[in-house]
């Protein structure tokens, strides 16, 4: 049962990751530029699928590398003080998402460094081959690392306690769930849906996504603090008495 509880935490962290929009924004830009250049539907599908694969590979790599690194430092038990720090990070990210995630202007412009935003935008215009789209997917994950670091660390801290097979399953669960918006947009674009309608939906619902992501970060922070910090302290005190 404990293993399933851990996977539920991983799934919640992945849903928070999925609510962030940089990778989706880059995918819609890539699709728009590709269609604007009058390239074929087959070419569009190859580029969008390669881009999504790049995002998946980088996401899985971050979680896997983080798990190896943390396991090498702490073994199977992360000290309580690090859980406290992680909970503080999640709370701070929740405040940041509520206040800063979308820029205060029309559209879906995100709060990411302008240099990174310009780089990704220029790359989408220049992308013509599948390998370039794949590397663009890798870069888009790095571009949002400031926000996804919290969910990724939650997953890493949770997974290292599990057996190896469950860890691999957890990496797969996190990667798949975090990719859901990309997969949906990829399917919609591939089936001929208008990029403009997809963008309009994103703009109409951006405040809801922003509120949901920030609130979920607060709730996850509180839950982990209770389960990973307060409960062990209470049990240790009761045992000492």
């Amino acid at each position: 049962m404990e293993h399933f509880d851990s996977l539920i935490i991983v799934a919640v962290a992945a849903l928070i990751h999925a609510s962030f929009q940089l990778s989706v924004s880059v995918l819609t830009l890539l699709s728009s530029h590709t269609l604007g250049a009058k390239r074929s539907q087959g070419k569009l599908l190859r580029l969008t699928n390669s881009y999504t694969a790049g995002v998946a590979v980088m996401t899985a790599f971050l979680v896997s590398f983080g798990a190896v690194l943390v396991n090498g430092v702490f073994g199977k038990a992360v000290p309580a003080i690090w859980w406290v720090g992680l909970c503080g990070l999640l709370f701070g990210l929740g405040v940041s998402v509520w206040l800063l995630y979308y820029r205060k202007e029309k559209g879906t412009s995100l709060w990411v460094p302008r240099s990174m935003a310009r780089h990704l935008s220029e790359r989408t215009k220049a992308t013509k081959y599948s390998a370039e789209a794949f590397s663009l997917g890798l870069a888009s994950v790095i571009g949002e690392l400031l926000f996804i670091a919290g969910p990724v660390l939650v997953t890493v801290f949770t997974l290292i306690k599990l057996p190896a097979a469950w860890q691999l399953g957890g990496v797969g669960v996190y990667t798949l769930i975090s990719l859901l918006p990309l997969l949906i947009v990829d399917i919609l674009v591939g089936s001929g849906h208008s990029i403009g309608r997809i963008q309009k939906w994103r703009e109409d619902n951006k405040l809801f996504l922003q509120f949901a992501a920030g609130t979920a970060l607060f709730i996850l922070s509180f839950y982990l603090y209770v389960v990973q910090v307060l409960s062990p302290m209470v049990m240790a005190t009761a045992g000492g008495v």
Side-chain angles (χ1 to χ4, degrees), residues 152-169:
V152 168
L153 285 174
V154 168
T155 301
V156 168
F157 281 19
T158 302
L159 288 182
I160 62 170
K161 302 181 297 183
L162 303 180
W166 284 84
Q167 290 182 20
L168 289 174

Side-chain angles (χ1 to χ4, degrees), residues 79-194:
I81 188 64
W82 285 85
W83 280 107
V84 172
L86 177 57
C87 292
L89 173 63
L90 294 175
F91 187 87
L93 286 175
V95 173
S96 299
V97 169
W98 266 9
L99 299 179
L100 302 172
Y101 189 66
Y102 286 101
R103 291 182 177 272
K104 298 186 182 302
E105 56 189 54
K106 290 190 68 177
T108 54
S109 180
L110 304 174
W111 192 90
V112 295
R114 291 297 86 192
S115 58
M116 174 60 73
R118 285 192 298 270
H119 172 71
L120 292 174
S121 179
E122 291 167 0
R123 287 281 306 279
T124 59
K125 294 177 183 177
T127 297
K128 299 178 181 178
Y129 302 105
S130 296
E132 293 174 330
F134 182 85
S135 65
L136 184 62
L138 301 177
S140 71
V141 177
I142 298 301
E144 203 159 44
L145 191 57
L146 176 64
F147 289 101
I148 66 173
V152 168
L153 285 174
V154 168
T155 301
V156 168
F157 281 19
T158 302
L159 288 182
I160 62 170
K161 302 181 297 183
L162 303 180
W166 284 84
Q167 290 182 20
L168 289 174
V171 172
V173 167
Y174 185 92
T175 302
L176 180 60
I177 293 177
S178 68
L179 281 179
L180 285 178
L182 274 181
L183 294 174
I184 292 171
V185 172
D186 197 358
I187 292 170
L188 290 174
V189 170
S191 59
H193 285 75
S194 166

Side-chain angles (χ1 to χ4, degrees), residues 14-96:
L15 284 171
I16 295 172
H17 183 150
S19 69
F20 297 138
Q21 294 291 301
L22 180 59
S23 293
V24 174
S25 293
V26 175
L27 178 60
T28 55
L29 275 176
L30 176 62
S31 302
S32 179
H33 291 317
T34 303
L35 291 172
K38 307 298 183 183
R39 299 190 179 103
S40 67
Q41 188 73 5
K43 181 70 171 179
L44 173 64
L45 284 175
R46 286 193 294 274
L47 291 179
T48 56
N49 289 343
S50 297
Y51 171 83
T52 302
V55 174
V57 168
M58 180 54 75
T59 301
F61 171 78
L62 285 175
V63 175
S64 302
F65 178 76
V68 171
L69 185 63
V70 172
N71 186 67
V73 174
F74 299 122
K76 295 291 186 181
V78 177
I81 188 64
W82 285 85
W83 280 107
V84 172
L86 177 57
C87 292
L89 173 63
L90 294 175
F91 187 87
L93 286 175
V95 173
S96 299

